[in-house]
C-alpha cells in the first residue's frame, strides 16, 4: 500500500511517497502532479523517495516522464532522499534518470532549485 501527498511550498511542489507504488499508483501520481504543476504555476518539483525501498524500471520511467512533462510546463524536477541501495539498483539496471536532478535531502533539493548549493 502506498500513500502520496503533494504539498505546495511557495512556488515548489513537494511530493512525498510512502510505501511501494503500483504501476497504477505511479500513473495516477504522474497525472496529478502534472495537473498540479500547471494549475499552481510551480517552478520546481521535489519528489521525496526516501520512503521507497525499491524503484523498478516502470517507476524510474514514470519519474523521468514527470520531469519531462514538468520541464515543458517550466518547472525543474529534483528527486531527493534516494537510498544507496535504490541508487545501486538503478545503476545496475542501466537507469540513470536523465532530466532529473538529485539531492540527498529536501533542504538540498530546495537549494538546488534556488540555484545555490549548501556547503558540505
Amino acid at each position: 500500500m502506498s500513500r502520496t501527498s503533494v504539498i505546495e511550498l511557495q512556488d515548489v511542489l513537494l511530493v512525498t511517497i510512502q510505501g511501494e507504488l503500483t504501476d497504477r499508483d505511479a500513473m495516477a501520481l504522474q497525472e496529478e502532479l502534472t495537473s498540479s504543476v500547471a494549475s499552481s504555476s510551480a517552478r520546481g518539483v521535489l519528489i521525496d523517495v526516501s520512503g521507497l525501498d525499491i524503484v523498478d524500471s516502470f517507476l524510474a520511467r514514470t519519474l523521468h516522464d514527470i520531469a519531462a512533462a514538468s520541464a515543458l510546463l517550466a518547472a525543474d524536477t529534483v528527486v531527493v532522499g534516494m537510498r544507496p541501495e535504490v541508487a545501486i539498483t538503478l545503476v545496475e539496471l542501466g537507469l540513470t534518470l536523465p532530466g532529473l536532478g538529485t539531492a540527498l535531502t529536501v533542504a538540498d533539493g530546495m537549494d538546488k532549485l534556488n540555484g545555490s548549493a549548501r556547503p558540505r
Side-chain angles (χ1 to χ4, degrees):
M1 183 172 149
S2 72
R3 290 188 323 244
T4 61
S5 62
V6 179
I7 302 166
E8 194 169 340
L9 300 172
Q10 297 171 354
D11 55 356
V12 173
L13 297 177
L14 171 61
V15 181
T16 59
I17 303 170
Q18 297 296 318
E20 302 311 314
L21 289 180
T22 65
D23 291 354
R24 182 177 295 182
D25 293 335
M27 293 301 298
L29 176 62
Q30 180 179 354
E31 290 175 19
E32 176 188 359
L33 192 51
T34 302
S35 294
S36 294
V37 168
S39 66
S40 69
S41 299
R43 66 167 180 82
V45 176
L46 290 177
I47 302 175
D48 182 359
V49 297
S50 61
L52 294 177
D53 292 325
I54 298 169
V55 174
D56 63 14
S57 60
F58 185 83
L59 181 54
R61 188 179 80 217
T62 302
L63 292 173
H64 174 267
D65 291 348
I66 288 169
S70 296
L72 289 172
L73 296 168
D76 294 323
T77 303
V78 178
V79 173
V80 301
M82 188 173 299
R83 296 176 183 210
E85 55 272 15
V86 171
I88 290 167
T89 300
L90 289 174
V91 170
E92 288 173 348
L93 292 172
L95 303 170
T96 57
L97 304 179
L100 280 171
T102 58
L104 294 176
T105 66
V106 170
D108 290 340
M110 288 293 280
D111 286 344
K112 193 168 207 168
L113 289 173
N114 290 326
S116 61
R118 294 183 349 167
R120 292 253 171 236

